[in-house]
Amino acid sequence: MLDATYCTRDLTTFCGLQHLGLTATGQHITDTRAVIECRVVEDDKFCHQCGAQGTARDTRIRRLSHASFGWRPTTLAIRVRRYRCATCKHVRVQDTSLAADPKAKISRGGLRWALKGIVCQHLSMARVAEGLGVSWNTANAAVLAEGQRVLISSPTRFDGVQVIGVVEHVWRHARYGDNYVTVIIDLTPGAAA
Ligand SMILES: [Zn+2]
């Protein structure tokens, strides 16, 4: 290789799938969306009940919305194996918890992309939902839960805060309901300058 800055093209790394315990095995790209076929890196073939080796029975496809590349919704189509234990007959599926929560429709990478879009880029939830290729309600519920987990529930979120600003703001021009919101802003970076 002529320039050590570059390495071989790699769809797994480009899509950040290595953090989700996945590896890319194929792609189907159209003008409007992209589907990345993946498999789970960890074989996980030993029975969780008795420890004996299981035999693969079949596979099913788990679909997750992922980070949008170039505003084209990207879906991960994960081939998930189902194993049957040869000893105790217990049947279970491969663990995909690194990629997403058990019933989630959006990958952890997709959630991070959406949360950054809302918080850092000030995107609307409608725009984020469009980027993920999911409904507004699905995006809203998932992003709020991720924000709660990553930002609000973090015990270190006030570390380094020394100066705050407080402002009252009319946010809802309607006759009924709460019309004012109190915004508290971390002014530490500006105060230090
Ligand atoms: Zn077993």
Side-chain angles (χ1 to χ4, degrees), residues 64 67 104 140:
L64 294 172
N140 188 56

Side-chain angles (χ1 to χ4, degrees):
M1 190 163 293
L2 293 175
D3 187 338
T5 306
Y6 296 95
C7 58
T8 311
R9 66 199 182 282
D10 178 356
L11 189 58
T12 299
T13 312
F14 182 79
C15 295
L17 302 181
Q18 74 277 26
H19 304 301
L20 307 183
L22 303 173
T23 187
T25 55
Q27 65 182 40
H28 175 67
I29 295 175
T30 68
D31 288 343
T32 54
R33 55 189 313 122
V35 180
I36 309 295
E37 189 186 43
C38 322
R39 65 175 176 79
V40 182
V41 173
E42 191 62 50
D43 240 355
D44 192 27
K45 64 171 68 161
F46 293 99
C47 178
H48 290 193
Q49 305 252 328
C50 73
Q53 188 164 332
T55 50
R57 278 185 60 168
D58 51 20
T59 57
R60 65 189 183 93
I61 304 293
R62 182 176 186 194
R63 292 181 187 278
L64 294 172
S65 294
H66 192 51
S68 171
F69 297 102
W71 290 108
R72 179 164 42 196
T74 301
T75 303
L76 305 180
I78 310 168
R79 298 179 69 84
V80 184
R81 280 195 185 136
R82 206 154 59 131
Y83 290 105
R84 183 185 175 87
C85 174
T87 306
C88 75
K89 312 300 182 201
H90 177 63
V91 176
R92 63 191 175 75
V93 295
Q94 259 181 316
D95 181 12
T96 53
S97 57
L98 274 177
D101 282 337
K103 296 209 185 308
K105 302 244 184 304
I106 303 170
S107 75
R108 296 193 195 284
L111 282 179
R112 184 54 64 105
W113 173 85
L115 194 59
K116 274 188 183 172
I118 297 280
V119 175
C120 304
Q121 312 295 330
H122 308 292
L123 298 180
S124 67
M125 192 61 76
R127 197 73 186 90
V128 164
E130 188 187 336
L132 289 170
V134 300
S135 72
W136 187 94
N137 285 331
T138 299
N140 188 56
V143 171
L144 287 184
E146 182 70 356
Q148 177 80 36
R149 188 183 73 80
V150 174
L151 302 173
I152 297 173
S153 299
S154 167
T156 60
R157 69 192 176 115
F158 294 129
D159 286 4
V161 176
Q162 294 178 334
V163 182
I164 60 169
V166 179
V167 63
E168 289 274 308
H169 178 67
V170 178
W171 70 288
R172 185 172 176 275
H173 299 269
R175 189 174 299 177
Y176 303 107
D178 292 332
N179 288 2
Y180 290 89
V181 63
T182 304
V183 182
I184 303 172
I185 310 158
D186 175 14
L187 295 177
T188 311

